[in-house]
């Protein structure tokens, strides 16, 4: 539990407290309150006749914490434990009325102002308690920096040797783009010492009351780290001006135009990039032949001759993306841009949708609409990319499940394999499951056309498994091409024309067709905008799929090339520019290719010059024209397509088989089959639905129950009287704590409800009866409607068993409280089975304190009843022996229940313990002797004669509410025995925040006092208190005059410390559990 959250809850509780009766409105248990039957009947009649009015009033009032009055009851119960000792033995009416008046116990809900006025305190005593913190450490004003004050009258500050060394250390040489900056200065002031020398401590000795270290800001780090400033709009023009002037000076510098300088600065660096440029160019050509060539559905008659146009569109996309990335758009100087292979199936779907709407009677209109939809989708992708980067939402795409992306990759792979069959077999239409298609595929003259490329692709994948290098791929395809033409030349009956007619070589494009021929398809007057509008959902699906590549490829590329300053937002903006510009130029989507970029950079292309040269080379290949297509064997392109498709399917289905959960693998498999065999958009939505289902299943398997504790283990931090501690330890198992965690929804709440139902089943309830069920929401992040309804149902079920539900860790006004309030669980609901609303507490500690107080009230009632029975059946004032009380008749025996029996046994065993009930003669002693005897009765075996010698060393102190006893870091000035009231101790440490209540009959401040260490907590009087103080001077006197008493008191202090450490450890473990 964090300190901030605890303080927020305290503040919320203080601002929302409403007068109420914490214990009189709890559900009446017949077997526990039968002796007050008349009062129960009258109260029931009153509740029945005014239920409608109460319901209306409760619904209009805001929810408030039930912690109001809990602290008052704790103080009253502690005072009762320290009252007349004979109250535990006698049954005097006057004494019972004085020891624990009912009008004081059950008026815990009275107004805050009246209680404070009655105590003689201030209404704002809690504000004083909170504000006293600022009186402990005095703020020291910051001195003037020596570097900024040059006045001769100024006295220089004394500093340590380390500070002088840092000042005199040589500054780091500034970089070319960084102004010279001075190191930071650290001045440590110590008002207690003015003479500083080499033996002066580096830090002041008194951290609390001594000097305060003052840090003087500087422009740079001591280590010379460059401070990256955010560039604003008004700083762009000055930088542009500086860069322009720098470029002008460079151009006009005569020395740079000397032959040697030109060779060193221009020719030589450029020549080094030629191998990488050639490799990148070959990779672009292979990619163009593989999926640029099939950009349009070649199986359709309208697009049967658009293969060269698809390659040209591919080149334009590569050129645009390469220039954007290489001219400063990307952090990767040698990043390679290319067309997304995943766009091909989406484009085919868009083309078929348009053809289904427009028909095939007007081929020019169909081609114009299809190619325009391609370009428009690229512009849409660019806008979304740029918007995400400009709004710094790059991390948003990380919330998209990786399994969906993997499934889409597998679906693209399956699509490419099917497309490879379609291209290699030279089918007239698309590949479908018709009888004609199967007959065509397995005919004698066709089967070898698509089987041979498939075998070649499998052979290549096998070779790459043992030796994966780009040279292997390039050599393999060049070898296939050379071998093909060797066979054609060696066989007399074969020639290029015959092989082209048989489907082994692509048809040659028409002569005279320019390299920019695809621009002739853009005929704005022929576009069918209605048909194009039907492709908009597919465009968005394509955009969504394209967005997922950036957060995957960019970080992976940064790791591969050791680039540490990678920004997802910057790369998104670069992708936005490249895609938008590509669409405006009539081309398609592109992205930063991971594999090609790694190969290009590793072969010497890690420079922006190399990227620009690659774009220039790609432009040259585009201008060279598509004539080369007429000489490329079909099986080469088919092998490329098969290889890419099989690789993607291996990545999606084979590589993930033992790495992910079975449900996730099933999600990937379904996406692959739906996308490859049916529809890509449907496959994406199916993947999203399966991913959500998988999330629900996986999350439901993790229990929302963080931990469970019995009240005997999970105790409040209140320091209680020994009698009360013993009783609470025996009856604590009637309180059951369930700590919840995470987001509670319909999938996780089922296990919680089953757990609670199991607690109140007949056999389990008899073996372990519970009275209070505390549900802790400290680690709950939220809950849905189903979970909130489940808590309403649990409250009804628990009410039938007379078990009270208590909610802790609920912050008023936040999501959890609003969700519970919407379903009505915090409101009074009519009906016989509807139980009262559960009490709400700001933290678990207050909830446990309330439960303990309720059980202590029962303990007090049981004490009075036993005292009355003893007075009636015996004449002696002595306490009966253990076991003799079983024969004493009690009214509760008739209405016995498992919980009531446990309370009776615990109360009887606690009261009949010989070392708990104080002798009656203590009533005649003056304070603080009775207080010492009762506080130390479990810790020391000495009698009153021994401790009487310690009385004169204690001083009585009146502590009004709000009085600050001490703060953290103070010297221990005394050891306190609390007689009346309640103290509040707060431990505000760097590790966290912890608080405890110190009530009458307990001690305060023993560990720092006896150990002579600084105070570790801040303690103030929460109510008017009476305490007995043992000061440091009187302790020294006791050690001199009564050494045996001092030693015994020191032993008692050690035992108290051990008890406190055990309580703190238990609290920490329970809170963190």
């Amino acid at each position: 539990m964090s300190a901030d959250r605890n303080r927020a809850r305290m503040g919320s509780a203080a601002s929302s407290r409403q007068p109420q009766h914490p214990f009189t409105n709890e559900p009446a248990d017949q077997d526990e309150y039968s002796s007050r039957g008349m009062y129960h009947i009258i109260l029931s009649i009153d509740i029945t006749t005014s239920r409608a009015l109460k319901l209306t009033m409760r619904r209009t009032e805001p929810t408030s914490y039930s912690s109001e009055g809990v602290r008052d009851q704790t103080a009253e119960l502690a005072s009762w434990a320290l009252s007349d000792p004979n109250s535990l033995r006698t049954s005097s009416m006057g004494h019972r009325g004085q020891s624990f008046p009912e009008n004081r116990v059950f008026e815990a809900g009275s107004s805050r102002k009246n209680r404070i006025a009655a105590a003689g305190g201030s209404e704002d005593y809690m504000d004083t308690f909170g504000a006293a913190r600022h009186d402990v450490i005095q703020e020291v004003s910051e001195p003037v920096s020596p570097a900024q004050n040059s006045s001769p009258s100024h006295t220089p500050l004394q500093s340590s040797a380390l500070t002088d060394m840092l000042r005199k250390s040589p500054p780091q040489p500034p970089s070319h783009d960084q102004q010279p900056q001075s190191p930071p200065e650290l001045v440590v002031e110590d008002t207690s010492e003015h003479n500083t020398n080499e033996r002066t401590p580096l830090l002041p000795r008194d951290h609390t009351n001594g000097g305060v270290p003052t840090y003087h800001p500087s422009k740079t780090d001591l280590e010379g780290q460059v401070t990256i400033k955010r560039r604003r709009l008004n700083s762009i023009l000055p930088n542009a001006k500086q860069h322009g002037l720098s470029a002008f000076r460079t151009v006009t510098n005569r020395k740079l135009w000397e032959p040697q300088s030109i060779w060193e600065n221009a020719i030589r660096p450029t020549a080094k990039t030629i191998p990488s440029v050639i490799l990148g160019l070959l990779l672009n050509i292979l990619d163009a032949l593989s999926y640029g060539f099939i950009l349009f559905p070649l199986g359709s008659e309208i697009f049967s001759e658009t293969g060269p146009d698809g390659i040209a569109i591919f080149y334009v996309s590569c050129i645009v993306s390469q220039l954007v990335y290489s001219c400063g758009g990307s952090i990767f100087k040698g990043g390679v841009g290319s067309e997304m292979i995943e766009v091909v199936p989406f484009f085919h779907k868009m083309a078929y949708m348009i053809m289904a709407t427009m028909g095939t009677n007007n081929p020019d209109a169909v081609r114009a609409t299809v190619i325009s939809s391609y370009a428009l989708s690229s512009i849409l992708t660019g806008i979304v990319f740029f918007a995400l980067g400009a709004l710094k939402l790059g991390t948003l795409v990380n919330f998209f499940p990786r399994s969906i992306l993997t499934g889409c990759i597998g679906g693209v792979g399956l699509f490419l394999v099917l497309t490879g069959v379609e291209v290699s077999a030279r089918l007239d239409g698309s590949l479908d499951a018709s009888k004609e298609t199967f007959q065509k595929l397995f005919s004698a003259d066709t089967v070898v056309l698509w089987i041979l490329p498939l075998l070649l692709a499998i052979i290549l994948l096998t070779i790459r498994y043992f030796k994966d290098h780009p040279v292997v791929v390039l050599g393999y395809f060049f070898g296939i091409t050379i071998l093909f033409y060797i066979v054609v030349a060696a066989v007399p009956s074969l020639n290029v024309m015959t092989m082209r007619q048989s489907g082994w070589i692509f048809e040659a494009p028409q002569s005279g067709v320019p390299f920019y021929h695809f621009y002739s398809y853009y005929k704005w007057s022929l576009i069918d905008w209605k048909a194009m509008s039907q492709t908009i959902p597919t465009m968005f699906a394509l955009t969504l799929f394209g967005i997922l590549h950036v957060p995957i490829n960019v970080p992976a590329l940064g790791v591969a090339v050791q680039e540490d300053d990678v920004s997802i937002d910057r790369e998104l903006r670069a992708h936005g520019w490249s895609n938008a510009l590509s669409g405006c130029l009539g081309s398609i989507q592109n992205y930063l290719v991971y594999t090609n970029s790694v190969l290009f950079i590793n072969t010497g292309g890690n420079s922006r010059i190399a990227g620009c040269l690659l774009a220039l080379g790609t432009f040259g290949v585009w201008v060279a024209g598509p004539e080369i297509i007429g000489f490329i064997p079909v099986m080469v392109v088919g092998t490329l397509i098969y290889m890419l498709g099989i690789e993607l399917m291996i990545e999606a289905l084979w590589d993930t088989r033992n790495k992910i959960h079975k449900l996730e693998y099933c999600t990937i498999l379904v996406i692959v089959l739906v996308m490859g065999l049916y529809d890509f958009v449907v496959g994406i939505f199916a993947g999203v639905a399966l991913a959500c289902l998988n999330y629900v299943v996986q999350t439901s398997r993790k229990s929302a129950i963080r931990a469970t504790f019995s009240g005997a283990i999970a105790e409040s931090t209140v320091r209680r009287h020994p009698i009360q501690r013993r009783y609470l330890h025996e009856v604590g198992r009637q309180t059951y704590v369930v700590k919840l965690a995470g987001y509670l929804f319909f999938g996780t709440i089922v296990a919680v409800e089953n757990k609670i139902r199991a607690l109140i089943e007949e056999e389990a309830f008899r073996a372990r009866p519970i009275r209070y069920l505390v549900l802790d929401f400290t680690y709950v992040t939220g809950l849905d409607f189903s979970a909130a309804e489940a808590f309403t149902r649990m409250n009804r079920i628990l009410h039938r068993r007379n078990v009270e539900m208590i909610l802790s860790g609920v912050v008023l006004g936040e999501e959890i409280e609003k969700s519970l309030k919407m379903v009505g669980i915090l409101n009074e609901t009519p009906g016989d089975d509807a139980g009262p609303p559960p009490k709400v507490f700001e933290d678990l500690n207050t909830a446990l304190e309330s439960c303990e107080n309720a059980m202590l009230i029962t303990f007090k009632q049981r004490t009075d009843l036993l005292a009355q029975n003893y007075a009636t059946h015996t004449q002696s004032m002595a306490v009966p022996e253990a076991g003799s009380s079983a024969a004493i008749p009690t009214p509760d025996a008739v209405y016995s229940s498992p919980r009531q029996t446990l309370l009776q046994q615990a109360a009887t065993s606690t009261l009949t313990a010989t070392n708990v009930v104080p002798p009656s003669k203590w009533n005649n002693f003056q304070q603080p002797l009775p207080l010492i005897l009762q506080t130390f009765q479990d810790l020391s075996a000495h009698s009153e004669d021994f401790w009487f010698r310690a009385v004169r060393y204690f001083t009585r102190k009146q502590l009004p509410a709000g009085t600050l006893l001490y703060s953290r870091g103070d010297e221990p000035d005394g050891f306190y025995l609390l007689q009346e009231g309640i103290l509040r101790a707060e431990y505000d440490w760097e590790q966290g925040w912890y608080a405890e209540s110190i009530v009458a009959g307990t001690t305060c401040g023993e560990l720092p006092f006896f150990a002579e260490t600084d105070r570790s907590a801040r303690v103030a009087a929460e109510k008017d208190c009476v305490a007995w103080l043992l000061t440091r001077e009187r302790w020294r006197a006791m050690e001199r005059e009564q050494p045996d008493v001092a030693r015994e008191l020191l032993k008692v202090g050690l035992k108290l410390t051990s008890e406190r450490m055990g309580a703190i450890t238990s609290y920490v473990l329970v809170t963190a559990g």
Side-chain angles (χ1 to χ4, degrees), residues 303-315:
F303 300 100
S304 59
E305 298 180 357
T306 56
D309 297 318
I311 293 178
I313 295 175
F314 173 86
Y315 285 147

Side-chain angles (χ1 to χ4, degrees), residues 46 128 139-140 212 294 406 443 454 465 516 528 538-539 607 611 695 697 701 726 768 811 818 832 875 956:
D46 179 72
T128 305
E139 180 180 0
V140 181
V212 179
I294 59 173
T406 305
S443 62
L454 180 59
Y465 178 80
Y516 51 85
D528 189 338
T538 306
M539 293 182 186
S607 67
Y695 173 78
V697 174
R701 291 184 175 182
R726 178 169 298 184
R768 185 178 184 176
V811 181
K818 293 178 181 179
D832 297 336
Q875 299 296 327
R956 192 176 187 271

Side-chain angles (χ1 to χ4, degrees), residues 289 293-294 298 423-424 426 496 499-501 503-509 628-638 641:
L289 293 176
F293 186 79
I294 59 173
L298 302 179
V423 172
S424 301
R426 310 299 292 163
V496 175
M499 300 299 290
R500 184 176 288 126
Q501 293 176 354
W504 288 93
I505 302 177
F506 287 108
E507 293 289 338
I628 192 177
I629 299 297
F631 298 94
I632 297 178
V634 175
M635 66 178 183
V636 173
V637 177
I641 298 175

Side-chain angles (χ1 to χ4, degrees), residues 538-654:
T538 306
M539 293 182 186
F540 278 102
L542 174 58
T543 301
L544 176 63
F545 188 73
I547 290 173
L548 301 179
H549 279 280
V550 178
I552 296 176
N553 290 343
V554 170
L557 183 58
V559 174
V561 300
Q562 299 181 359
E563 179 60 58
D564 299 328
D565 297 330
V566 177
S567 172
I568 299 295
D569 296 324
R570 174 180 177 177
E571 301 303 325
L572 283 172
R573 293 193 296 269
H575 281 71
W577 281 111
S578 64
N579 282 272
L581 290 176
S582 179
C584 292
L585 293 177
S587 188
I588 56 175
Q589 288 88 341
N590 50 72
Y591 75 123
L592 194 65
V593 185
Y594 170 78
T595 305
N596 293 7
S597 298
V598 172
L599 296 175
F600 187 72
I601 293 174
N602 291 340
T603 54
N606 192 19
S607 67
R608 303 201 182 275
I609 295 177
C612 293
L613 290 177
L614 177 59
L616 182 61
T618 305
F619 178 78
V621 174
W622 175 37
V623 173
E627 286 78 8
I628 192 177
I629 299 297
F631 298 94
I632 297 178
V634 175
M635 66 178 183
V636 173
V637 177
T639 303
L640 271 171
I641 298 175
Y642 278 133
M643 182 193 69
L644 292 175
I646 295 174
E647 278 187 335
L648 294 179
M649 292 186 66
I650 291 175
E651 178 184 350
L653 298 178
W654 181 259

Side-chain angles (χ1 to χ4, degrees), residues 795-873:
N795 189 38
R796 292 196 302 266
I797 296 173
L798 292 172
H799 175 66
R800 296 168 189 167
R801 281 284 192 179
N802 290 324
V803 178
E804 183 177 355
M805 177 189 286
I806 297 176
L807 309 180
S808 67
V810 178
V811 181
L812 299 184
E814 292 192 358
E815 179 184 356
I816 297 176
E817 187 264 342
K818 293 178 181 179
S819 300
L820 294 173
K821 196 172 183 179
M822 284 190 298
V823 298
I825 187 176
L826 303 181
N827 303 327
E828 190 80 27
T829 55
D832 297 336
D833 295 335
K839 296 178 182 178
V840 181
F841 294 91
E842 57 269 36
D843 52 47
L844 178 60
N845 184 57
T846 310
L848 292 174
E849 183 180 349
S850 175
C851 297
E852 292 171 356
N853 289 346
M855 289 187 286
L856 287 176
I857 291 177
T858 304
F859 176 55
K860 186 264 175 187
Q861 295 171 349
R862 181 65 180 173
T863 301
D864 292 343
L865 182 60
L866 288 177
Q868 181 180 0
N869 292 333
Y870 291 150
T872 303
H873 295 277

Side-chain angles (χ1 to χ4, degrees), residues 592-799:
L592 194 65
V593 185
Y594 170 78
T595 305
N596 293 7
S597 298
V598 172
L599 296 175
F600 187 72
I601 293 174
N602 291 340
T603 54
N606 192 19
S607 67
R608 303 201 182 275
I609 295 177
C612 293
L613 290 177
L614 177 59
L616 182 61
T618 305
F619 178 78
V621 174
W622 175 37
V623 173
E627 286 78 8
I628 192 177
I629 299 297
F631 298 94
I632 297 178
V634 175
M635 66 178 183
V636 173
V637 177
T639 303
L640 271 171
I641 298 175
Y642 278 133
M643 182 193 69
L644 292 175
I646 295 174
E647 278 187 335
L648 294 179
M649 292 186 66
I650 291 175
E651 178 184 350
L653 298 178
W654 181 259
D655 294 344
T656 60
R657 67 191 188 284
N658 296 324
K659 297 180 180 179
I660 61 176
H661 194 270
K662 292 182 179 179
L663 290 177
E664 284 189 291
Y665 188 82
C666 292
T667 301
I668 295 174
L669 182 60
V670 170
I671 295 175
V672 170
L673 295 177
V674 173
M675 293 183 70
L677 302 178
Y678 180 67
D679 185 271
F680 263 74
V681 178
V682 175
I684 291 179
F685 284 106
V688 172
L690 290 176
C692 294
L693 179 62
N694 181 39
Y695 173 78
V696 171
V697 174
Q698 295 293 336
T699 307
S700 302
R701 291 184 175 182
K702 183 175 179 59
S703 176
I705 300 178
R706 183 183 177 97
T708 58
F709 299 98
S710 167
I713 300 175
E715 300 176 343
S716 69
T717 59
V718 179
R719 300 187 187 180
R720 298 189 184 272
H721 191 275
I723 297 179
Q724 296 178 351
R725 289 200 306 268
R726 178 169 298 184
Y727 173 75
L728 290 176
H729 185 71
E730 293 190 16
V731 301
R733 59 177 181 167
Q734 290 199 13
T735 301
Y736 195 81
V737 179
V738 179
K739 294 179 66 66
L740 305 175
Y743 187 83
L744 305 180
F745 67 106
F746 58 89
T748 57
I749 198 63
V750 176
V752 178
E753 185 174 359
N754 292 337
K755 175 67 175 179
I756 294 177
R757 287 178 179 271
L759 291 175
I760 59 176
E761 288 183 354
E762 189 66 30
E763 296 182 2
F765 194 76
R766 285 186 176 274
R768 185 178 184 176
I770 60 174
R771 187 178 182 185
Y772 302 102
L773 178 66
V774 182
L775 300 177
D776 185 47
F777 287 79
T778 302
Y779 294 100
V780 175
T781 57
L783 67 162
D784 67 351
F785 181 77
S786 299
E789 280 287 347
F791 286 114
T792 305
R793 187 165 54 252
M794 295 179 208
N795 189 38
R796 292 196 302 266
I797 296 173
L798 292 172
H799 175 66

